[in-house]
Amino acid sequence: MRKKQFKAESKKLLDMMINSIYTNKEIFIRELISNASDAIDKLYFKSLTDNSVGIARDEFEIKLDVDKDARTITVSDNGIGMSAAELESNLGTIAKSGSLNFKNENEEETAEKDIEVIGQFGVGFYSSFMVAKRVEVVSKAFGEEIAHKWISEGADGYTLEECEKDAAGTVITLYLKEDTETEDYSRFLEDYTITELVKKYSDYIRYPIKMEQTHTVPDPEKEGEYISETAVETLNSMVPLWRKNKSEIKPEDYNEFYKMKFMDYQDPLSVIHFKSEGTATFDSLIYIPAHAPFDFYSKEYEKGLQLYTNGVLIMDKCSDLVPDYFSFVKGIVDSADLSLNISRETLQQDYQVKIIAKAIDKKIKSELKKMLKGDREKFETFFDTFGVQLKWGVYANYGADKDNLKDLLIFKSLSEGKYVTLDEYISAMPEGQEQIYYACGESVDKIALLPQTEAVRAKGFDVLCFTDDVDEFAIQMLMEYDGKHFANICKDELNLSSEEEKKELEEKNTAAKDMLDEMKGFLGDAVTAVKLSDSLGSHAVCLSAEGYVSLDMAKILSQMPGGSQGMKAQLVLEINSKHAVAEKLFKLFAEDREKLEKYTKILYGEACLVSGLTLDNPTEFADMLTDLMV
């Protein structure tokens, strides 16, 4: 028996396989099970045309065995096995894949007969050396009399010799490394660890994965005492829920699977189960949670769907499959069409991923629109929890997705007292209304108290309430809906007055120009102008904004890290021309400029409080009010 060197050149290459390509040691069990599944697939494929195989599909199995004393893990299968030449070719040449060759040679027939080949790169087997100091492979190819044993301790090479084995198949034995200060290899010798890894990575392999398990059970003969009971158990469920027909699945099955798989205590709000065929074929099971995860708004939260290929977990959270505005969804995508990199841990960035992501995005939007129309109460519950994400989706990427999301937006209406869509708002607009009016505030109740709200509603026009920080930013990106432009009642030109009323107001402002300029001087840079208004209803005063940045946008920007970075609202102090306070101001302008200054500052402070702004000098404001009282 002579030691042979690997054909794929050097220790450096194998070291790269072990230490660089794979980032997680526990995946070795996934790789070996996937290879065993491929070997069984090949023999099953042969059995379809060769009666001499003599084994039924339900007799195929993968066995695991752990020996703590010997520190070994054994993975065996009753698949097609390997000859000496195949052992030397497939295991003696790093990155040579027998599975890939098989798939390429039989591509049309395997597709027709539902044969799945998982391993295609020939490096999965070498992940064994991440945890093992020695690997033995005993294999007997179907139809051959002699079995062979392949042994290697790493990059130094391998030996190959004849041995005894009864039936076709392969047995791989890993002799684990000794524990170190940084690595606990012994954990892989625990039954519960192996069971957990099979459930995590290989639960949906189509053949049973069996292992002898020991449990402590009550002694049937001695009350209060326990005995150990050993039995061979199947560790995997084999048939993925998402591959079953919807007609076979009950709502409680979906819910229980979700709670178990994604560790949630509550049933999901909605389930989206669909299969896509065409350019990219995949099965998908997507859930909309009933509540946000506890870390949803933290930096630690990771979006993404679990990605499988042929029932084998490839990525726990594939972020490329869902956009940020749907980052709350949980679920699974299973596709055989993915181009994986050689370690099977990450995807190549190819068109297949983009096609799948686009299909999922479209499906989620479609289901949400269906929920909006068919189950309004459920949609509003969803929107209360995740609506902010949709609004950020409208605003993000310079509004690239705004047209896809705008029909899903709902806002509280002052007139209706409930959520309305933009479509519903426009449908209810009275004749003569040309704009979609909105106002920003901390709550619907506070928006209802704004001076401008009274004037708008007096005309019979509804007002949408924007209570989330992102609302106005999203709407500014949207700009218009169905030909109707949005108007902030605290900033934009509302066109509530007739031409005659506009002319009359313009004359009043012209006549009061000297007084208004002096009042502006009293307030300095706090405002850009002081003017008379006829759209404040019964209220005396308010603050409005000019230019792009509204009052509420300025407040939000000022709270961000780094401040508002120069983006400030250009505030205008508006005085109700029809209020008694206007007459008082004219009188003071003529008789007492000192008192006019106090009145101006008091009115500005009052307008700040109504608008939710903080007073720069609350003490001065309080003192001036006290002076007036005494």
Side-chain angles (χ1 to χ4, degrees):
M1 183 175 65
R2 184 173 61 85
K3 179 171 282 192
K4 301 182 180 183
Q5 296 300 313
F6 288 113
K7 293 179 183 177
E9 306 343 292
S10 66
K11 181 177 180 180
K12 184 177 181 181
L13 180 57
L14 185 55
D15 284 344
M16 183 182 73
M17 294 287 177
I18 297 169
N19 299 315
S20 300
I21 292 177
Y22 292 100
T23 58
N24 188 359
K25 287 182 168 56
E26 66 184 25
I27 56 87
F28 79 91
I29 195 73
R30 176 194 73 184
E31 297 297 318
L32 296 182
I33 289 173
S34 296
N35 289 344
S37 176
D38 285 349
I40 294 174
D41 267 336
K42 292 171 190 175
L43 189 56
Y44 171 65
F45 178 72
K46 188 175 183 65
S47 74
L48 298 177
T49 56
D50 187 347
N51 293 330
S52 67
V53 172
I55 182 170
R57 177 152 187 168
D58 59 3
E59 294 177 306
F60 288 116
E61 62 184 15
I62 300 166
K63 291 182 179 178
L64 304 179
D65 183 65
V66 173
D67 186 331
K68 289 185 179 181
D69 295 331
R71 290 183 66 79
T72 61
I73 298 173
T74 302
V75 180
S76 57
D77 66 73
N78 55 350
I80 200 162
M82 290 178 281
S83 64
E86 288 169 330
L87 279 166
E88 191 157 6
S89 175
N90 294 336
L91 303 188
T93 305
I94 298 174
K96 174 71 178 297
S97 173
S99 293
L100 180 59
N101 293 340
F102 171 78
K103 182 178 181 181
N104 291 338
E105 290 167 6
N106 303 279
E107 190 161 5
E108 289 187 13
E109 294 177 82
T110 55
E112 290 174 6
K113 291 165 182 169
D114 193 27
I115 306 296
E116 297 177 346
V117 178
I118 303 167
Q120 297 175 31
F121 296 101
V123 296
F125 167 78
Y126 292 94
S127 64
S128 305
F129 289 101
M130 291 192 297
V131 298
K133 59 186 178 183
R134 173 187 171 97
V135 178
E136 293 182 2
V137 180
V138 174
S139 192
K140 183 177 183 180
F142 174 79
E144 293 200 353
E145 296 296 325
I146 300 173
H148 294 83
K149 180 185 286 188
W150 181 97
I151 303 173
S152 176
E153 294 183 358
D156 288 342
Y158 62 94
T159 60
L160 187 63
E161 60 183 2
E162 293 183 1
C163 65
E164 296 294 324
K165 189 178 187 308
D166 294 334
T170 301
V171 179
I172 300 176
T173 303
L174 277 57
Y175 293 82
L176 294 195
K177 297 175 182 179
E178 298 299 325
D179 295 339
T180 66
E181 290 184 4
T182 57
E183 292 292 345
D184 177 19
Y185 296 103
S186 296
R187 72 183 190 276
F188 297 119
L189 297 171
E190 300 295 336
D191 287 356
Y192 66 84
T193 302
I194 297 296
T195 301
E196 184 181 89
L197 293 180
V198 170
K199 279 287 182 187
K200 180 177 181 180
Y201 292 109
S202 307
D203 196 34
Y204 306 113
I205 290 289
R206 61 171 62 196
Y207 305 106
I209 303 169
K210 298 181 177 181
M211 188 169 104
E212 193 176 78
Q213 300 268 57
T214 301
H215 300 285
T216 301
V217 297
D219 189 334
E221 298 179 359
K222 297 178 181 178
E223 188 175 346
E225 295 188 18
Y226 294 84
I227 58 172
S228 294
E229 189 174 82
T230 301
V232 175
E233 299 178 3
T234 298
L235 306 183
N236 60 322
S237 60
M238 290 180 280
V239 182
L241 185 69
W242 56 86
R243 286 194 178 181
K244 293 181 180 180
N245 292 325
K246 291 189 207 178
S247 58
E248 301 174 18
I249 307 172
K250 299 176 182 177
E252 52 266 32
D253 295 332
Y254 283 123
N255 294 343
E256 288 307 311
F257 178 83
Y258 166 77
K259 288 189 283 191
M260 177 194 71
K261 190 74 173 175
F262 300 105
M263 307 299 288
D264 200 345
Y265 60 88
Q266 199 170 345
D267 288 342
L269 191 67
S270 184
V271 182
I272 306 170
H273 183 191
F274 73 106
K275 181 181 183 71
S276 177
E277 294 179 330
T279 313
T281 300
F282 63 92
D283 293 279
S284 185
L285 182 56
I286 296 171
Y287 293 94
I288 297 176
H291 61 95
F294 73 93
D295 61 345
F296 188 59
Y297 295 104
S298 70
K299 293 180 180 178
E300 287 71 33
Y301 181 77
E302 295 179 67
K303 66 166 183 166
L305 302 177
Q306 288 191 338
L307 182 63
Y308 287 77
T309 181
N310 294 321
V312 177
L313 179 66
I314 302 303
M315 295 178 70
D316 191 46
K317 289 182 180 176
C318 182
S319 61
D320 292 335
L321 290 175
V322 286
D324 287 342
Y325 51 80
F326 287 152
S327 61
F328 49 83
V329 300
K330 306 286 185 183
I332 287 151
V333 173
D334 190 349
S335 174
D337 294 339
L338 296 172
S339 297
L340 308 177
N341 76 351
I342 56 177
S343 74
R344 271 205 297 245
E345 287 186 287
T346 55
L347 294 169
Q348 292 179 0
Q349 295 300 316
D350 61 15
Y351 77 100
Q352 295 162 329
V353 180
K354 294 178 181 178
I355 289 171
I356 293 174
K358 189 174 181 179
I360 290 171
D361 183 33
K362 186 177 179 180
K363 187 65 176 180
I364 295 173
K365 288 173 187 170
S366 172
E367 290 297 317
L368 287 174
K369 286 181 181 178
K370 190 186 299 182
M371 187 193 299
L372 174 60
K373 292 179 180 178
D375 194 339
R376 186 59 171 258
E377 185 178 351
K378 181 186 282 191
F379 184 84
E380 290 182 5
T381 299
F382 155 77
F383 202 84
D384 281 335
T385 307
F386 299 115
V388 170
Q389 287 300 114
L390 302 189
K391 296 170 188 175
W392 276 114
V394 170
Y395 175 70
N397 300 321
Y398 302 99
D401 297 295
K402 64 183 181 182
D403 290 335
N404 295 327
L405 295 173
K406 62 184 181 182
D407 291 333
L408 293 173
L409 299 181
I410 56 176
F411 300 96
K412 286 287 179 68
S413 153
L414 270 187
S415 296
E416 297 290 331
K418 61 181 182 180
Y419 278 121
V420 297
T421 65
L422 296 176
D423 257 335
E424 290 165 348
Y425 179 94
I426 290 176
S427 298
M429 284 169 54
E431 187 176 350
Q433 183 178 347
E434 298 298 329
Q435 301 181 93
I436 300 173
Y437 297 114
Y438 70 87
C440 304
E442 293 179 17
S443 67
V444 174
D445 291 340
K446 289 191 175 182
I447 290 173
L449 297 174
L450 290 173
Q452 296 92 332
T453 302
E454 184 178 327
V456 174
R457 296 192 68 190
K459 292 288 185 179
F461 302 154
D462 195 4
V463 177
L464 295 178
C465 301
F466 288 3
T467 55
D468 288 321
D469 288 350
V470 70
D471 286 348
E472 191 170 15
F473 291 90
I475 290 302
Q476 291 285 354
M477 195 63 69
L478 202 56
M479 295 179 65
E480 57 87 26
Y481 185 88
D482 197 22
K484 304 290 185 183
H485 287 269
F486 293 91
N488 183 337
I489 66 171
C490 297
K491 180 176 78 71
D492 298 314
E493 180 61 54
L494 303 184
N495 295 318
L496 299 178
S497 304
S498 65
E499 290 303 317
E500 187 178 338
E501 289 172 328
K502 288 180 183 177
K503 185 177 180 181
E504 182 182 343
L505 181 62
E506 187 178 345
E507 290 173 353
K508 286 182 180 179
N509 274 289
T510 301
K513 184 178 184 304
D514 291 342
M515 179 188 76
L516 298 174
D517 286 345
E518 186 154 348
M519 293 175 68
K520 160 68 178 78
F522 294 149
L523 296 175
D525 294 335
V527 297
T528 58
V530 179
K531 68 180 184 181
L532 298 176
S533 172
D534 62 356
S535 60
L536 299 184
S538 61
H539 299 273
V541 66
C542 79
L543 281 176
S544 62
E546 293 180 333
Y548 177 78
V549 181
S550 72
L551 189 58
D552 286 271
M553 290 174 76
K555 284 191 283 187
I556 294 164
L557 290 169
S558 68
Q559 294 167 5
M560 290 182 175
S564 61
Q565 300 178 343
M567 293 192 70
K568 295 182 179 180
Q570 297 177 20
L571 300 182
V572 176
L573 179 64
E574 294 190 19
I575 309 296
N576 189 344
S577 65
K578 300 175 183 178
H579 197 282
V581 76
E583 294 180 21
K584 182 69 173 179
L585 293 173
F586 279 114
K587 186 177 181 180
L588 292 176
F589 178 66
E591 300 176 358
D592 191 342
R593 300 291 178 89
E594 185 178 340
K595 186 170 281 188
L596 176 65
E597 181 178 358
K598 281 188 178 182
Y599 268 59
T600 300
K601 291 181 178 178
I602 289 173
L603 288 172
Y604 171 72
E606 179 185 331
C608 285
L609 292 175
V610 170
S611 300
L613 293 177
T614 303
L615 295 175
D616 291 335
N617 193 338
T619 302
E620 180 189 35
F621 180 72
D623 288 344
M624 286 189 295
L625 283 178
T626 304
D627 288 345
L628 285 177
M629 293 172 68
V630 299

